[in-house]
Amino acid sequence: MAGLVLNSFADSRPPPPNNGLTGTGRLNGRSERLLGNFMRDSPETRPVIATKLAAYPWRLLPGQWVAAARASSKRLGLERVPVIQLHWSTAKYAPIQERLMWDGLCSIYKEGLAEAVGVSNYGAEQLARIHDYLDARGVPLASAQVQYSLLSRGGAQESVRREAEERGIALIAYSPLALGMLSGKYGVEDGEAAASLPQGPRALLFKQILPGAADLLQELRQIAQARGKTVPQVALNWCICQGTIPIPGATSLAQFQDSLGALGWRLTREECGRLEEASDAVPRAMLQNIFQTA
């Protein structure tokens, strides 16, 4: 997958913050529309697009899921979307809707609206169930998107990774830099670093996790310096070495270009081992998505 640029969007996702656009919190597919406009203005750019359809309570029948997929493809300006995924599972709170969503995903694939279909925030057990359900209906499950990083690799996440690997499902790792905690930009060792922490709930999370992640960040810096790479590039490459496709967020061209530096090389087993040992010693890891199933 080296060199592949994959853009993850959703029909329920607003544009990124601080970009001068209105619509934050409006469930109107604005991010898909913006990307569609960009690709029309830049026809030479053809990234691989993965979008997600929200599990709204009014989306039940296959026809409603097909209509949602058509709307997404129209906003993106594509006849067929490369990957369409369920944004989350309803197994925890609406198990009846869960099976209906699976039927909707089958219909989307059979209508030719997506080249491939996948899921997001599914645990290992539910991932196995939907894989078998779709497989029995001639629909391959291509991808599973979960939170995965050096600060999010506990038992549940490793189980998903192994399940995906065994079944030939591509694992897409979102938040591979743990909301920026693995970027090397933040710390709580001194007042200046603490003052630079993000505002709001993220600041509290950073203060809870970062002090215990000091040794992990030090390992990342040492490996980055030895290899002539940046800390984010090393953290992303570790994800790649685990067989995942990391999709870091970028709020600037510089961040996007830096992320590309994670491609085309591999950490050694010894380097991965050092990072994993330091990761295991972090007392508090990232909180998992509340929608992730078992």
Side-chain angles (χ1 to χ4, degrees):
M1 305 291 287
L4 180 69
V5 178
L6 185 145
N7 294 73
S8 176
F9 288 82
D11 67 346
S12 62
R13 180 172 296 160
N18 303 321
N19 58 4
L21 296 172
T22 59
T24 299
R26 296 180 184 176
L27 311 181
N28 58 4
R30 184 74 181 273
S31 62
E32 292 177 328
R33 193 172 293 110
L34 289 171
L35 179 62
N37 291 340
F38 169 76
M39 290 192 295
R40 280 188 287 272
D41 293 340
S42 306
E44 73 284 356
T45 303
R46 278 294 173 264
V48 174
I49 305 300
T51 196
K52 295 183 288 294
L53 301 181
Y56 295 140
W58 58 84
R59 283 183 181 166
L60 298 172
L61 301 177
Q64 293 172 310
W65 286 96
V66 167
R70 290 191 193 282
S72 283
S73 64
K74 182 178 180 180
R75 287 189 291 267
L76 290 166
L78 299 171
E79 290 186 11
R80 298 180 73 198
V81 180
V83 185
I84 290 181
Q85 303 176 119
L86 298 178
H87 203 156
W88 65 84
S89 167
T90 65
K92 287 185 176 181
Y93 63 92
I96 295 176
Q97 184 183 3
E98 179 80 353
R99 189 60 58 89
L100 295 173
M101 294 197 312
W102 296 1
D103 290 335
L105 207 57
C106 289
S107 295
I108 288 170
Y109 182 79
K110 292 182 176 180
E111 287 284 335
L113 295 171
E115 297 175 21
V117 295
V119 294
S120 181
N121 297 309
Y122 272 59
E125 294 177 13
Q126 199 71 350
L127 183 63
R129 293 189 187 103
I130 188 173
H131 173 274
D132 292 345
Y133 187 86
L134 267 57
D135 185 64
R137 289 154 180 77
V139 178
L141 184 63
S143 64
Q145 186 168 321
V146 296
Q147 181 182 174
Y148 190 78
S149 73
L150 280 163
L151 286 176
S152 182
R153 51 178 290 270
Q157 303 311 89
E158 282 301 316
S159 294
V160 177
R161 187 188 65 79
R162 288 193 297 269
E163 190 70 35
E165 184 178 49
E166 291 174 3
R167 294 177 178 269
I169 301 169
L171 193 73
I172 301 173
Y174 73 77
S175 199
L177 297 178
L179 300 178
M181 279 185 274
L182 296 175
S183 68
K185 296 191 300 181
Y186 304 107
V188 292
E189 294 83 3
D190 56 71
E192 181 180 356
S196 71
L197 292 178
Q199 300 300 306
R202 284 179 64 192
L204 177 61
L205 187 65
F206 277 42
K207 291 176 182 178
Q208 292 173 337
I209 295 176
L210 277 177
D215 289 345
L216 172 59
L217 289 169
Q218 183 60 23
E219 286 289 353
L220 284 166
R221 293 188 186 99
Q222 289 177 355
I223 293 173
Q225 184 176 12
R227 282 187 165 269
K229 300 292 183 178
T230 66
V231 168
Q233 288 168 356
V234 174
L236 293 174
N237 193 267
W238 177 85
C239 289
I240 294 171
C241 288
Q242 310 315 303
T244 75
I245 304 170
I247 49 170
T251 58
S252 68
L253 178 60
Q255 288 182 351
F256 174 76
Q257 291 172 331
D258 186 74
S259 294
L260 293 179
L263 300 172
W265 58 282
R266 290 266 178 163
L267 291 165
T268 66
R269 288 186 180 181
E270 185 268 338
E271 289 170 327
C272 285
R274 285 165 53 191
L275 292 173
E276 289 156 18
E277 182 178 357
S279 171
D280 290 340
V282 177
R284 184 162 185 167
M286 287 285 291
L287 297 174
Q288 294 306 316
N289 191 297
I290 60 171
F291 288 112
Q292 181 164 321
T293 65

